[in-house]
Amino acid sequence: MATTVPSIAAERLPALLAAMPKAELHIHIEGSLEPELIFALAQRNGVAIPYASVEELRRAYAFTNLQSFLDIYYAGASVLLREQDFHDMAWAYLQRAAADNVVRAEIFFDPQTHTARGVSMETVINGLHRACQAAKAQLGVDAELILCFLRHLSEEDAFATLEQALPLRDKFIGVGLDSSELGHPPEKFARVFAQCRLHGLHLVAHAGEEGPPAYVWAALDVLKVERIDHGVQSARDGALMERLARDRIPLTVCPLSNLKLCVFPTLADHNLRALLDAGLVATVNSDDPAYFGGYMNQNFLQTFAATGLGARHAWQLAANSFEGSFAGPARKREYLDRLDAAFATIAAAA
Ligand code: HPA
Ligand code: ZN
């Protein structure tokens, strides 16, 4: 942990968490689709949805595990048809991110959810990319896209998806792996990840959200990913924890997601502190904020309130988010300088 973090009074912690610059490395853009926007897009596109009102839809957001969430999440995404829809969804997220002082966002999208409904890959990527470009110009948020393969589908389907996306290669920086984890180990996608690597794409994968430490080992050793999404189950395997710490493999932890999907019974039980204490490059992220009750700053505020983490942890988590990002070295340095400046300002104001 850095030795230069100025001391900051406990009552200033919420302001500090909100004001500090940070990167979000684990956000599914379809999971930022708020019920109000789902209804607006359903009306705009003439799509029927099986809920009478925004309130009724929100009431359905009571999840018991990952699959119970995914069923509703994929249904919600069915209102997205046109390029403008994808743009509007991403733009809404990016405005919220900017308000939370997110200065960099590496955004997942699930093209197979859309191409399976007859929406073209160009429609999806061009709409999202236009919002990312606007975010850089108008919000000062460096926004990049990461294409995720759905692991409940076949590797053959993932290869077809990659082929459709390659003409738009300059509009996304990497690939990931998401959807139903249990029963779909990383090995299933060994060949398609190897192919993506040859294309110079960054590689990440969800592993150890509900799945065992063996899935995290396989994501590292078979898929050769640079980051692990979630990864909280790694704490069950001492040798794995040592490997993650030694190789500085970032974990993109999502506390409110873990709470809502019953990975931990309460936020106070979350193992974020243990991951940091073990020297892991753990980060805080929102995952699917429209479904899990909070964007970035809510994840920070609620987790810190429940676990008693302090200002030094806040600095470490924000620094980890920049280290773990796919920004270039000069940009990372710039982000860290901004982080130190924000801490100095808050310390001086106390
Ligand atoms: N896990 C797996 N797949 C997902 C998630 C998640 O948390 N969110 C959206 N797709
Ligand atoms: Zn996720």
Side-chain angles (χ1 to χ4, degrees), residues 138-175:
Q138 296 172 41
L139 303 174
V141 178
D142 296 328
E144 302 288 353
L145 296 172
I146 296 178
L147 181 159
C148 282
F149 300 117
L150 298 182
R151 69 201 304 157
H152 68 275
L153 301 178
S154 68
E155 188 181 45
E156 190 186 358
D157 211 313
F159 267 117
T161 300
L162 177 62
E163 198 164 310
Q164 289 164 19
L166 279 177
L168 302 146
R169 167 70 186 84
D170 58 330
K171 294 181 177 166
F172 59 102
I173 63 168
V175 298

Side-chain angles (χ1 to χ4, degrees), residues 84-165:
Q84 190 66 34
D85 305 338
F86 290 91
H87 168 275
D88 292 354
M89 170 174 63
W91 184 244
Y93 162 71
L94 286 160
Q95 286 177 295
R96 286 177 183 265
D100 279 357
N101 290 303
V102 170
V103 297
R104 181 180 186 85
E106 299 183 1
I107 301 173
F108 296 144
F109 66 107
D110 286 342
Q112 288 156 294
T113 305
H114 314 300
T115 53
R117 297 180 289 110
V119 177
S120 76
M121 186 65 81
E122 290 73 22
T123 298
V124 177
I125 294 184
N126 288 336
L128 298 177
H129 185 256
R130 188 153 56 83
C132 291
Q133 294 293 93
K136 287 177 197 175
Q138 296 172 41
L139 303 174
V141 178
D142 296 328
E144 302 288 353
L145 296 172
I146 296 178
L147 181 159
C148 282
F149 300 117
L150 298 182
R151 69 201 304 157
H152 68 275
L153 301 178
S154 68
E155 188 181 45
E156 190 186 358
D157 211 313
F159 267 117
T161 300
L162 177 62
E163 198 164 310
Q164 289 164 19

Side-chain angles (χ1 to χ4, degrees), residues 38-309:
I38 290 179
F39 271 80
L41 292 176
Q43 191 164 31
R44 181 157 110 187
N45 291 333
V47 175
I49 45 173
Y51 298 93
S53 65
V54 163
E55 293 70 34
E56 192 184 316
L57 177 55
R58 230 184 258 283
R59 273 198 296 277
Y61 294 179
F63 313 116
T64 51
N65 57 21
L66 175 58
Q67 193 59 51
S68 67
F69 154 70
L70 290 171
D71 294 341
I72 287 190
Y73 161 85
Y74 293 129
S78 68
V79 300
L80 297 158
L81 290 182
R82 299 175 219 287
E83 188 190 303
Q84 190 66 34
D85 305 338
F86 290 91
H87 168 275
D88 292 354
M89 170 174 63
W91 184 244
Y93 162 71
L94 286 160
Q95 286 177 295
R96 286 177 183 265
D100 279 357
N101 290 303
V102 170
V103 297
R104 181 180 186 85
E106 299 183 1
I107 301 173
F108 296 144
F109 66 107
D110 286 342
Q112 288 156 294
T113 305
H114 314 300
T115 53
R117 297 180 289 110
V119 177
S120 76
M121 186 65 81
E122 290 73 22
T123 298
V124 177
I125 294 184
N126 288 336
L128 298 177
H129 185 256
R130 188 153 56 83
C132 291
Q133 294 293 93
K136 287 177 197 175
Q138 296 172 41
L139 303 174
V141 178
D142 296 328
E144 302 288 353
L145 296 172
I146 296 178
L147 181 159
C148 282
F149 300 117
L150 298 182
R151 69 201 304 157
H152 68 275
L153 301 178
S154 68
E155 188 181 45
E156 190 186 358
D157 211 313
F159 267 117
T161 300
L162 177 62
E163 198 164 310
Q164 289 164 19
L166 279 177
L168 302 146
R169 167 70 186 84
D170 58 330
K171 294 181 177 166
F172 59 102
I173 63 168
V175 298
L177 187 65
D178 66 1
S179 191
S180 319
E181 186 181 8
L182 290 169
H184 301 285
E187 290 91 330
K188 184 176 162 186
F189 296 91
R191 283 152 298 197
V192 75
F193 268 65
Q195 185 73 40
C196 290
R197 207 159 168 246
L198 293 177
H199 287 289
L201 288 157
H202 287 292
L203 307 179
V204 300
H206 283 53
E209 177 184 14
E210 290 183 339
Y215 284 22
V216 179
W217 283 111
L220 295 172
D221 292 335
V222 180
L223 300 187
K224 304 197 184 304
V225 299
E226 299 159 81
R227 291 199 297 249
I228 297 288
D229 296 313
H230 292 294
V232 291
Q233 303 299 336
S234 305
R236 292 158 46 195
D237 181 336
L240 177 57
M241 291 289 276
E242 280 171 27
R243 165 80 183 278
L244 293 167
R246 188 196 70 204
D247 289 352
R248 298 201 68 68
I249 304 290
L251 298 191
T252 63
V253 176
C254 306
L256 287 177
S257 166
N258 293 155
L259 176 68
K260 293 292 158 62
L261 301 188
C262 307
V263 173
F264 296 97
T266 73
L267 268 188
D269 296 306
H270 200 284
N271 66 5
L272 180 61
R273 180 192 286 268
L275 300 174
L276 290 171
D277 285 348
L280 268 61
V281 187
T283 63
V284 166
N285 306 270
S286 72
D287 206 7
D288 301 282
Y291 292 89
F292 299 149
Y295 288 77
M296 276 293 264
N297 285 357
Q298 277 303 313
N299 272 273
F300 274 102
L301 288 165
Q302 293 187 35
T303 305
F304 274 61
T307 61
L309 294 176

